[in-house]
Amino acid sequence: MRYIVLFLVAICVSQNLFGQIIDDFSDGNFSSNPIWTGDQSNFQINAAQELQLNATAPGTATLLTQGNIPDSAVWDFYFKLAFAPSGSNRLSIVLMSDNADLSLANGYTLEMGETGANDALKLNRLDAGVKTLLATGTLGLVATNPAIDVRVKRNVAGDWSIEAAPTGTALLPQLSVNDNTFSGGNNLLFGFSCVFTISNSTGYYFDNINIQPNQPDVAAPVLNSAMAINTTTIEVLFDEDLDLNSAQNPANYTLVGATNTIQSATLLTNLKTVSLTLSTPLATGAYTVQTNNVKDLLGNASNVQTAAFQYLLIEAAAQYDVIINEIMADPDPVIGLPNVEWLELFNMSAKNIDLGTLFIRDATGTPKVLSQYILPPGGYVVLTAASNVATLQAAVSGVVIESPLSTSALNNDGDLIVLTNANGDIINQVPYSVSWHTDSGKDDGGWSLERGNPFAPCQGSNNWGSCEADLGGTPGQQNSTFSNTPDDVAPELIDAYLESSTEITLTFSEGLDVVTAENLGAYTLTPTLQIASATLQQDGTMVTLTLAQPLALSTIYTLEIDETVTDCSGNPLPEVQTDQLGIPEDPIANDIVINEIMFNPATGGLDYIEFYNRSEKLFNWTEFFIWSRYVDSDGDTATQIEPIVANRLMSPRAYDVFTENADDINLRFKNINPTAVISQSLPTFPDDAGNVRLIWIKGGVSITIDSFYYFDDYHNALFSVTERNGVALERLSAELPSNAPSTWTSAATYVTGAAGTPTLPNSQKLNPTDPVTDELVTLPSSRISPAEIDGREDFLEIHYKTPKEGYAATITIFDADGVPVKKIVRQELIGTEGVLLWDGDQDGGIRVKPGIYILFVEMFEPGGDVRHIKKLISVVSKF
């Protein structure tokens, strides 16, 4: 025990004799521990706890500290110059000096500062202040804004070596030389001498100074860390340079508790890192590397050492792996979340996916790479503009990262958001619309759109709706409308568009299964044309059919798609889908006419305009424009024009309707053709009068196809001014001139339940001349037996045909005593022909008794013509 105590005392004496100079400036000063002297007023300790030059005028500033620097020593330090060194801005690091006046000193300095790209570390000797160059390091190392870690070594024989590298990287040899002119010892000086111009008077930084004896290496290499580089490569890092043979022996390494074996070991160029190649790939999990008998360059061998690491398997995203799950396009007015736009991504796969491999864009933008972030399976992440990240993160518990989209990239009324990989393959896309909101009022802002079932990514707008959470959104967490109900919604054909005479693009309501979508047997063209190929596009909702022969002109083809085509959840088309195709032609005037217009809609309703193709040609709507001229509130003539953007054809003898919101028209009018109602921006249609035109423009040629000057007094005279609200003007015949007042009249309600017939033949149309007789009303059968409801004689069918347009009617059922029992029509405008039904009920809702009844019809029109028709009817009981 006594010898041990003496040994410890000897170590303490030795350490005192060769005391180290150590300073990382974490004490916030350079006035103690250790004491620095010289031009103290020109230096400061900055907020990063670094020594920094802080001069107010150009010149030279020196700062030195005194200590014991032995003959065999190691200098470690860091410096940074926030400029490119030159002859006017240079640095001299005083490694050891016997005099604070460097012009008289003996010792050694490390210097940099010359003009050009070859600036390097230079080791100099000072003889009474006279500088002699001993050796030069790697050219260019310190040429541009250097931030360098340096290690200088010297032994008792005067062998000098310097290693250096940009901070954070492995040190590399710079120079070596022998010079033993001056010895180490007590009370020698170390420090920095800066020569600078005023522009660089604060650009010198120093830190992590450690000068200690260069002791003989008797320590074995220490395993510092292990890290997985990829699925089959692990790198292990030691604290010193290694012996090549022991480092590259695979037997010296083991992956503890794993079936993966080490196939090879390769020592990297920094001599401290070994790359291990595995026999089988790593899976996501925790691992431990064990090393043994690894030696340093002096032969010191390590015993068993271990280093743990985590591996996260990062995989490439495939279609639907990451989906757009929630969209806040219109955050104003604020409900509970900050007034910033954002969208949410959800990882519905079992993969860890690096978002830095994905790109995002909107309908008009170019793809921009996302921020690097590992999105785990089942994980959510919120994207918002860089300027909004802190604000949104403070308000939500989920992860918020920067989106490359701008602060106002998401259009309030709708846009297309596309997520792709580096190859441009679509991972997910959402063509959202403000009309997707499912709660009244939430489309005005402050509420997000949520995807209801993230596991049914093929579904379109029917899988989206308004957020139901109190804050107005659920960023970074499960949606308030979440559902994992299996997808049983069948896909439907939305549109078939002729791209060229040999290529057809089909658009479906949701994403399709690639195998069934590309099966040629699912598609048939009549008249027969061979389909050469079917290709599912990357978004999954579009199929391109390539034909073996081109379509013929003036021929309408019928395309059929059978039920073998399924969505990506396996749901087949509900029935055979059909559409008509053909090569569009150029129109002439009156090929298409304005057939119906709603210019003064009911409260809350929308304008619409209906066109009728009176020709046998096919037309491409994208070549047409809707034009409006009217007198504004200031009495000035105003003009507006809107291009028709619907990428679709207009068939011969077809009706197409354009409105700001197709859903509104489809809800207000029953029994119409919803596929012929097209959402489209419209010019202004004033409520009293205006001029609307359909214009065709192509190749610099412009033709007015039809023009209509409408006036509100074109309505039936039976309507007062207020009663005209919500009543469409209908054209009596496509053959009549557009601007004759007699061509137009008010629509009746009995076809669609509202005063208009969008997509249908007009309720008011000219009939062939009929004799004016009681045959204006006919009954296929004059008896009914409603009590049995057996499918025979359950209803009284009342067929009517007016002498001309514009008639209103009152239709009443009387009993045999002349008492009215049922008002079927009460002084309302009716169309030129139609069918009404009576099921034998009274106005109170109960059934009438069997017996004789009278059908009384009174027809009248504004010119004073009144017609009375009576019909006897029988209500019978069969039992």
Side-chain angles (χ1 to χ4, degrees), residues 18 67-73 75 95-99 105-108 125-127 154-160 179-189:
F18 302 107
N68 297 319
I69 304 177
D71 287 331
S72 180
W75 291 257
L95 298 175
M96 52 187 289
S97 172
D98 62 359
N99 197 317
N106 297 307
Y108 299 92
R125 185 182 69 239
L126 296 179
D127 297 278
R154 178 194 177 186
N155 61 23
V156 292
D159 295 322
W160 292 81
D179 188 281
N180 205 20
T181 304
F182 300 113
S183 301
N186 295 331
N187 302 319
L188 293 177
L189 297 166

Side-chain angles (χ1 to χ4, degrees), residues 423-442:
N423 296 326
D425 301 325
I426 293 177
I427 304 303
N428 186 224
Q429 68 174 3
V430 176
Y432 74 90
S433 168
V434 69
S435 65
W436 288 9
H437 276 286
T438 51
D439 292 346
S440 176
K442 290 186 177 180

Side-chain angles (χ1 to χ4, degrees), residues 505-823:
T505 296
L506 308 178
T507 302
F508 292 85
S509 60
E510 56 179 314
L512 301 182
D513 168 69
V514 63
V515 174
T516 62
E518 295 187 348
N519 174 26
L520 294 182
Y523 307 96
T524 304
L525 269 176
T526 306
T528 302
L529 273 183
Q530 182 183 354
I531 299 173
S533 66
T535 305
L536 184 66
Q537 299 304 313
Q538 292 172 339
D539 66 354
T541 64
M542 301 176 72
V543 177
T544 298
L545 301 181
T546 303
L547 309 180
Q549 303 89 28
L551 299 174
L553 286 172
S554 303
T555 303
I556 299 176
Y557 292 84
T558 299
L559 173 69
E560 291 189 354
I561 310 167
D562 68 28
E563 302 97 320
T564 60
V565 175
T566 70
D567 64 18
C568 60
S569 299
N571 300 303
L573 294 173
E575 58 186 2
V576 173
Q577 307 282 294
T578 62
D579 206 340
Q580 290 189 324
L581 299 163
I583 298 175
E585 300 179 58
D586 295 345
I588 61 174
N590 294 317
D591 273 351
I592 301 173
V593 294
I594 299 164
N595 196 55
E596 184 175 339
I597 184 169
M598 176 73 78
F599 56 84
N600 188 9
T603 302
L606 297 174
D607 292 345
Y608 70 77
I609 184 167
E610 177 187 76
F611 297 103
Y612 173 63
N613 182 356
R614 60 195 292 270
S615 76
E616 299 300 329
K617 303 174 187 176
L618 290 172
F619 301 114
N620 186 341
W621 271 128
T622 59
E623 298 171 357
F624 291 83
F625 297 77
I626 302 173
W627 183 95
S628 173
R629 174 180 288 173
Y630 57 93
V631 177
D632 64 19
S633 59
D634 296 326
D636 298 325
T637 299
T639 301
Q640 293 181 7
I641 188 168
E642 291 288 346
I644 296 178
V645 297
N647 192 11
R648 58 186 286 162
L649 298 174
M650 189 184 197
S651 302
R653 307 298 174 180
Y655 303 88
D656 279 351
V657 174
F658 294 93
T659 183
E660 297 280 356
N661 186 341
D663 291 342
D664 177 78
I665 303 303
N666 288 324
L667 287 173
R668 291 177 184 272
F669 297 88
K670 301 175 183 178
N671 306 316
I672 67 175
N673 177 11
T675 63
V677 183
I678 305 160
S679 291
Q680 159 75 39
S681 294
L682 295 179
T684 297
F685 299 155
D687 292 348
D688 53 353
N691 175 221
V692 59
R693 300 180 188 181
L694 181 66
I695 299 174
W696 178 79
I697 301 176
K698 182 179 178 182
V701 177
S702 174
I703 299 175
T704 296
I705 305 302
D706 194 17
S707 174
F708 173 39
Y709 289 86
Y710 67 85
F711 300 90
D712 61 350
D713 59 8
Y714 281 8
H715 277 291
N716 190 294
L718 294 174
F719 287 117
S720 67
V721 172
T722 58
E723 289 172 334
R724 297 168 187 172
N725 296 344
V727 179
L729 272 184
E730 291 185 334
R731 190 185 194 111
L732 298 178
S733 171
E735 308 305 320
L736 293 176
S738 295
N739 289 296
S742 59
T743 299
W744 298 88
T745 191
S746 305
T749 62
Y750 287 101
V751 177
T752 65
T757 54
T759 77
L760 302 176
N762 290 343
S763 64
Q764 304 284 8
K765 57 184 182 293
L766 293 180
N767 296 316
T769 303
D770 291 328
V772 181
T773 68
D774 283 357
E775 293 308 310
L776 295 177
V777 176
T778 58
L779 305 177
S781 173
S782 62
R783 53 177 271 161
I784 60 171
S785 55
E788 283 70 32
I789 314 179
D790 57 1
R792 292 182 299 139
E793 299 181 337
D794 294 334
F795 298 93
L796 178 70
E797 292 186 22
I798 307 168
H799 294 243
Y800 67 88
K801 181 179 292 187
T802 65
K804 62 178 182 178
E805 78 287 348
Y807 274 80
T810 296
I811 302 176
T812 310
I813 303 291
F814 292 87
D815 66 14
D817 295 326
V819 177
V821 296
K822 179 67 175 183
K823 284 281 189 182

Side-chain angles (χ1 to χ4, degrees), residues 356-512:
T357 63
L358 301 182
F359 294 75
I360 195 168
R361 66 173 175 86
D362 62 6
T364 58
T366 57
K368 297 180 181 179
V369 68
L370 292 175
S371 301
Q372 191 172 41
Y373 175 76
I374 306 303
L375 188 60
Y380 300 89
V381 67
V382 182
L383 306 181
T384 191
S387 59
N388 297 330
V389 170
T391 300
L392 189 57
Q393 185 65 83
V396 303
S397 58
V399 176
V400 181
I401 65 172
E402 175 183 348
S403 167
L405 299 178
S406 69
T407 55
S408 58
L410 304 178
N411 297 332
N412 292 352
D413 55 351
D415 206 341
L416 173 68
I417 306 173
V418 185
L419 198 64
T420 63
N421 61 17
N423 296 326
D425 301 325
I426 293 177
I427 304 303
N428 186 224
Q429 68 174 3
V430 176
Y432 74 90
S433 168
V434 69
S435 65
W436 288 9
H437 276 286
T438 51
D439 292 346
S440 176
K442 290 186 177 180
D443 56 357
D444 291 334
W447 299 89
S448 71
L449 281 171
E450 292 185 334
R451 186 191 292 267
N453 187 351
F455 303 104
C458 298
Q459 294 183 357
S461 59
N462 60 327
N463 197 19
W464 287 81
S466 304
C467 176
E468 297 176 358
D470 292 341
L471 291 178
T474 55
Q477 57 185 297
Q478 182 173 287
N479 288 344
S480 64
T481 57
F482 172 80
S483 168
N484 57 5
T485 303
D487 176 14
D488 58 2
V489 177
E492 295 183 2
L493 177 67
I494 300 299
D495 184 43
Y497 180 73
L498 192 64
E499 301 285 352
S500 69
S501 63
T502 58
E503 191 172 84
I504 302 168
T505 296
L506 308 178
T507 302
F508 292 85
S509 60
E510 56 179 314
L512 301 182

